[in-house]
Amino acid sequence: MDIQKEVLSLLDEVLSLDGRALAFDADTPLLGSVAELDSMAVIAVIQEIELRFDIIVPDDEVDGSSFATVGSVVEFVTRLNAH
């Protein structure tokens, strides 16, 4: 599974970006840069990460740095998916 591709698809769907997220790369800033990614959207993204990757995201693992860029979200998912 290509985690970055899946994360981009997930972001595009959850944030209703109409395909914009599919052009993002690992360095694309998210939190604070993509208006659609607010605090409520982060919760929806986490829920979708849990569903798509069949993982549990512990509350103590969630912080702003995990959603700073596409790459940080991919690292976040990769780390949790390894457990």
Side-chain angles (χ1 to χ4, degrees), residues 16-71:
S16 301
L17 296 176
D18 298 322
R20 284 189 2 233
L22 304 179
F24 293 173
D25 63 24
D27 296 325
T28 301
L30 295 175
L31 203 56
S33 296
V34 175
E36 294 86 352
L37 188 61
D38 59 16
S39 58
M40 292 305 293
V42 168
I43 293 167
V45 168
I46 290 169
Q47 290 173 332
E48 190 62 24
I49 286 171
E50 290 180 326
L51 287 172
R52 287 203 194 190
F53 295 98
D54 193 29
I55 57 177
I56 302 284
V57 177
D59 292 341
D60 62 346
E61 292 283 338
V62 178
D63 63 30
S65 65
S66 299
F67 294 89
T69 65
V70 169

Side-chain angles (χ1 to χ4, degrees), residues 3-12 53 70 73-74 77:
I3 292 178
Q4 180 164 320
K5 185 175 179 181
E6 195 64 31
V7 164
L8 291 176
S9 172
L10 178 154
L11 289 171
D12 200 70
F53 295 98
V70 169
V73 176
V74 171
V77 170

